């Protein structure tokens, strides 16, 4: 069993003849926050979806918490992605109840109360999600991902549509998760936010891993120059 929280070995992903991910090998240590960065179309989302078990690698191996792609236990993973995985026809509370029962969350009612309060949706708990703004939907998606206290969190553009207060809250939640031994992978175009919380950095360009290493104060101090610094 790998000691890494996530182990990616020689992974390729083809869509037809197009290789969206090309021979990527990467390990995410326990209690790390990895910022997976790259420009549009670089392969970040494809890579994250394979880590989450939503896409099967065409070649190579991925293990999360020591389990291979086929064996993965979804309850060990929390995901925030473009699709959000929340249901418009349900209320905020009903969405969290559905996923909480799916993940067999202990003391579910109290857990839902706590997370609705954390993301600022308590007074909207009975409102249908179809009536929510984009930012409210994103906050509910964050609550859903954290609800079952997963060992690994995978987040794709998680700061999208969040106001300054919610942005700071999410960053704080990620740091808290790391302090409790959780491992996080976050893909984002918002370099300042991603580099502020990351302990590790990996960069994908046209499907290939071109940089990996620890985050640094140099990256954080001038995120707008990040891509120049790694070239």
């Amino acid at each position: 069993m790998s000691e890494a929280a996530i182990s990616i070995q020689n992974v390729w992903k083809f869509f037809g003849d197009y290789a969206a991910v090309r021979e990527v090998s990467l390990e995410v240590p326990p209690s790390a926050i990895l910022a997976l960065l790259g420009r549009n179309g670089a392969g970040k989302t494809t890579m994250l979806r394979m880590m989450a078990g939503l896409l099967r690698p065409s070649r190579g191996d991925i293990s999360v918490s020591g389990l291979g792609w086929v064996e993965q236990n979804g309850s060990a993973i929390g995901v925030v992605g473009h699709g959000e995985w929340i249901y418009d026809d349900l209320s905020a509370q009903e969405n969290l109840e559905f996923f909480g029962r799916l993940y067999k969350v202990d003391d579910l009612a109290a857990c839902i109360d706590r997370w609705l309060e954390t993301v600022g949706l308590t007074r909207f708990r009975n409102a249908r999600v179809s009536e929510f703004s984009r930012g409210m939907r994103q906050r509910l998606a964050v609550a859903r991902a954290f609800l079952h206290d997963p060992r690994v969190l995978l987040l794709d553009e998680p700061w999208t549509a969040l106001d300054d207060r919610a942005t700071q809250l999410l960053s704080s939640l990620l740091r808290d998760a790391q302090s409790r031994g959780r491992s996080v992978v976050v893909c984002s175009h918002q370099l300042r936010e991603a580099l502020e919380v990351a302990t590790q950095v990996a960069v994908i360009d046209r499907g290939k891993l071109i940089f990996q290493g620890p985050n640094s104060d140099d990256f954080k101090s001038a995120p707008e120059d990040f891509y120049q610094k790694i070239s």
Side-chain angles (χ1 to χ4, degrees):
M1 181 180 295
S2 172
E3 293 183 0
I6 303 173
S7 179
I8 300 165
Q9 300 297 325
N10 302 316
V11 163
W12 291 72
K13 181 60 183 178
F14 290 92
F15 295 101
D17 294 330
Y18 174 68
V21 173
R22 305 164 182 260
E23 202 173 7
V24 170
S25 293
L26 177 66
E27 291 199 339
V28 182
S31 304
I33 301 178
L34 173 73
L36 183 61
L37 305 176
R39 305 185 192 280
N40 283 335
K44 305 185 304 297
T45 294
T46 299
M47 197 71 248
L48 201 79
R49 287 175 64 82
M50 288 191 288
M51 294 183 210
L54 300 171
L55 283 177
R56 183 189 291 270
S58 301
R59 301 178 192 162
D61 298 302
I62 295 178
S63 65
V64 177
S65 296
L67 298 176
W69 190 90
V70 174
E71 307 161 309
Q72 279 184 31
N73 177 1
S75 64
I77 300 173
V79 181
V80 175
H82 293 298
E84 296 167 345
W85 293 289
I86 53 178
Y87 295 97
D88 284 354
D89 291 336
L90 300 180
S91 68
Q93 177 164 323
E94 288 169 340
N95 267 279
L96 296 185
E97 285 176 346
F98 173 79
F99 285 100
R101 289 172 181 156
L102 184 67
Y103 293 132
K104 298 181 174 60
V105 173
D106 293 332
D107 198 6
L108 180 57
C111 187
I112 289 172
D113 288 347
R114 184 171 68 253
W115 276 105
L116 287 173
E117 182 176 1
T118 296
V119 300
L121 293 176
T122 298
R123 67 190 181 101
F124 302 103
R125 67 187 309 142
N126 295 316
R128 287 175 51 166
V129 172
S130 59
E131 302 169 358
F132 281 13
S133 69
R134 180 69 179 87
M136 292 168 68
R137 293 169 63 91
Q138 189 74 347
R139 283 185 276 150
L140 182 59
V142 168
R144 190 252 319 133
F146 279 82
L147 183 70
H148 57 297
D149 192 22
R151 294 194 298 273
V152 173
L153 286 153
L154 305 173
L155 304 100
D156 193 4
E157 301 295 345
W159 289 285
T160 298
L162 297 183
D163 59 22
D164 289 345
R165 182 177 177 182
T167 293
Q168 293 171 7
L169 170 64
L170 176 57
S171 297
S172 176
L173 290 174
L174 296 179
R175 292 190 188 98
D176 177 68
Q178 181 211 5
S179 73
R180 293 183 293 105
R182 299 335 187 218
S183 298
V184 179
V185 178
V186 56
C187 300
S188 182
H189 290 105
Q190 294 172 253
L191 294 179
R192 184 172 300 279
E193 287 78 7
L195 292 171
E196 185 63 32
V197 299
T199 61
Q200 303 283 319
V201 176
V203 180
I204 292 182
D205 182 47
R206 288 179 256 188
K208 291 188 68 69
L209 186 68
I210 61 169
F211 176 86
Q212 59 180 312
N215 196 5
S216 71
D217 290 339
D218 192 34
F219 292 158
K220 296 177 187 179
S221 64
E224 65 276 6
D225 297 329
F226 173 74
Y227 289 113
Q228 294 179 356
K229 292 174 181 177
I230 66 166
S231 61

